[in-house]
């Protein structure tokens, strides 16, 4: 399955932004049984877990740094996963990646995710 992240941009502190992760490719329908996670990487920093959602949308996990501000959701009928980001802070500036874990169980370990999108840049100015 191929993933494409979109929706990034330049916003000001306190603004909102919604990222979208869309599945494509010959086996894109398999994403409905995958867990999907969002990760981010800021310049000079390691890859960081942001949020994840189980295959049926019933389980979600968030990094402490985004809990209460970000919301992950999925629409399996449209093969998409969204990340609603509110109250953005300059510290949220990073390239955001979506990834799929065929096990279907949401988690925070990047090593569990087999398929990755190309990333979308989010820049939050103060």
């Amino acid at each position: 399955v191929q993933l494409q992240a979109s929706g990034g941009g330049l916003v000001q502190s306190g603004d909102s932004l919604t990222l979208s992760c869309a599945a494509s490719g010959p086996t894109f329908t398999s994403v409905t049984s995958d867990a999907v996670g969002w990760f981010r990487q800021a310049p000079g920093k390691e890859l960081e877990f942001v949020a994840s959602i189980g295959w049926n949308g019933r389980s979600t996990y968030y990094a402490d740094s985004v809990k209460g501000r970000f919301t992950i959701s999925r629409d399996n009928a449209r093969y998409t996963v969204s990340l609603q980001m509110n109250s953005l802070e300059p510290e949220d500036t990073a390239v955001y990646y979506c990834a799929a874990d065929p096990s279907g169980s949401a988690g925070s370990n990047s090593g569990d995710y087999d398929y990755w999108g190309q990333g979308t840049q989010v820049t939050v100015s103060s």
Side-chain angles (χ1 to χ4, degrees):
V1 62
Q2 298 172 358
L3 303 174
Q4 182 166 359
S6 62
L10 172 62
V11 297
Q12 294 185 333
S13 182
D15 285 351
S16 298
L17 206 58
T18 300
L19 304 184
S20 181
C21 178
S24 63
T27 59
F28 76 99
T29 57
S30 66
V31 75
T32 58
S33 61
D34 296 347
V36 176
W38 285 95
F39 295 80
R40 66 187 182 186
Q41 188 166 27
K45 295 188 177 181
E46 294 185 351
L47 189 68
E48 176 188 23
F49 168 74
V50 177
S52 61
I53 187 166
W55 71 274
N56 60 6
R58 294 177 182 174
S59 59
T60 57
Y61 295 95
Y62 297 93
D64 288 343
S65 59
V66 306
K67 201 170 295 183
R69 300 188 297 123
F70 291 12
T71 302
I72 190 170
S73 62
R74 67 188 300 158
D75 184 344
N76 280 347
R78 299 183 177 183
Y79 309 101
T80 60
V81 173
S82 297
L83 183 68
Q84 173 69 41
M85 306 186 295
N86 298 327
S87 303
L88 283 163
E89 305 167 350
E91 293 74 23
D92 296 317
T93 295
V95 177
Y96 284 71
Y97 300 91
C98 61
D101 175 2
S103 77
S105 299
S108 62
N109 184 358
S110 62
D112 292 334
Y113 291 80
D114 292 346
Y115 307 101
W116 291 78
Q118 86 289 357
T120 184
Q121 176 71 48
V122 172
T123 303
V124 185
S125 63
S126 57

